[in-house]
Amino acid sequence: MEQRTDTGIFTRGFGAPPRDGAPNAVLVHGLGLSGRYLVPLARRLAASGTTVLVPDLPGNARSRAAARRALDVGQLADALAHWHRQLSLGPSCLVANSVGCQVTAALTARHPDLVSRMVLVGPALEPRTSGPRQFGRLLADVPREPFSLLPLAAADYLVTGLPRCAASFRRALRDAAESFEGNLARVHAPTLVVRGSGDTIASAAWIRHVARVVGDGRTAEMPGVAHAAHYSAPDAMAALIEKFTEGELS
C-alpha cells in the first residue's frame, strides 16, 4: 500500500490496515533518504502480523513538496506526530536509523503518548563531534554497506536535492549539539539501541551512552554489518525487534 496523506507525507504500508489495539510499527529513515531502504525490514516485520508504516519525512524524497525548505529535527518530529495522529495509529513501536533516531527521540520526548517502544539503529549524530569528522565517518562507512544500497541512496539524495541535504545536515548537527541528549533523557519508553559491529558512524561507546541516558534502555550489536544494519540483515533485525517487543531482551 502506498498513499499520500493530507499532510503531504508519502507513506508505504505493509501488513493489515491500522486498527485499534493491533501492533504497529513506524520506520523512520535517515538524513536525505526515503523509506525505500527500510522496505526489506518492513516486509519481514509485517509477515509476523505487525502493521508497518514507512513514511518519507517532509522535505525528503517523495515527500519533498510537503516542506518548502529543510526542516529542523523538532519540526520533523512534530510533523511526524501530526501524521501519526491523523492516521489514528495508537501507540507505535518506532524504529529509526541514523539521523532518524534524532527525529524519533524528539518525537518521543514531545509526544510520549504516541510511542510504545523505540528501536534506534546506529543513532547519529554524536554530540561534540564536528561536521567534517561526522562526514568522514560517513565516507568510511560507504564501502562497508551492501553495494545495492549505494545507488538507492544516491537516487534518494538527488530527489531530495543536495542543497536541502546539506541544510538538513547542518540542522541535525545543531540538534546533536543542543537537544539530542536532552530528548533522550526525557524518553521513558523501553528502548533498544542497536549497532552493526562495522559501523563507523555510531561508536560502541556512544551506543552504550544512549542506552544509559534513556529511562529504560538496553543495547545489542549485530556482527558483520555496518551503519544500515536493518538493510544488510533484515531477517536478523526483525527477529531482534520481535524479541524486544515481546519482552525477551533484558
Side-chain angles (χ1 to χ4, degrees):
M1 175 190 73
E2 295 183 349
Q3 64 174 345
R4 195 176 304 277
T5 66
D6 292 342
T7 61
I9 294 179
F10 178 83
T11 305
R12 300 165 184 83
F14 301 86
R19 59 194 187 280
D20 288 343
N24 76 85
V26 175
L27 277 51
V28 183
H29 62 77
L31 189 147
L33 295 166
S34 74
R36 291 193 299 160
Y37 78 136
L38 293 161
V39 166
L41 175 61
R43 287 177 173 151
R44 283 155 179 81
L45 290 173
S48 66
T50 299
T51 296
V52 185
L53 298 175
V54 188
D56 287 1
L57 294 174
N60 291 263
R62 295 181 72 174
S63 296
R64 192 181 192 283
R68 297 179 61 183
R69 57 179 177 80
L71 302 182
D72 64 31
V73 168
Q75 290 170 324
L76 288 170
D78 288 341
L80 194 58
H82 179 61
W83 164 89
H84 190 286
R85 288 196 170 96
Q86 189 181 60
L87 294 177
S88 302
L89 295 180
S92 300
C93 175
L94 299 186
V95 181
N97 173 239
S98 196
V99 172
C101 297
Q102 293 179 227
V103 177
T104 297
L107 186 153
T108 307
R110 294 174 180 222
H111 310 278
D113 58 304
L114 302 183
V115 183
S116 59
R117 292 176 180 263
M118 278 199 326
V119 179
L120 306 180
V121 182
L125 304 162
E126 288 189 36
R128 295 170 293 280
T129 302
S130 68
R133 188 175 180 188
Q134 299 274 19
F135 188 69
R137 290 179 175 183
L138 173 62
L139 292 179
D141 186 75
V142 169
R144 298 174 180 232
E145 301 293 351
F147 180 77
S148 60
L149 178 60
L150 305 185
L152 186 154
D156 284 347
Y157 290 140
L158 289 174
V159 173
T160 299
L162 297 183
R164 190 171 286 201
C165 289
S168 296
F169 183 59
R170 291 193 297 272
R171 287 166 171 76
L173 282 171
R174 186 179 306 117
D175 177 82
E178 299 175 356
S179 304
F180 192 14
E181 288 178 291
N183 287 330
L184 288 169
R186 293 166 57 194
V187 170
H188 298 290
T191 300
L192 175 64
V193 191
V194 185
R195 177 181 182 269
S197 62
D199 191 345
T200 64
I201 298 172
S203 68
W206 168 241
I207 294 300
R208 292 191 296 269
H209 177 73
V210 170
R212 288 194 301 267
V213 170
V214 298
D216 181 8
R218 73 266 359 232
T219 64
E221 185 166 279
M222 295 180 59
V225 294
H227 190 57
H230 61 279
Y231 183 86
S232 300
D235 290 327
M237 182 65 74
L240 187 64
I241 292 170
E242 287 162 5
K243 286 182 180 179
F244 173 57
T245 56
E246 292 166 5
E248 298 179 9
L249 291 180
S250 58

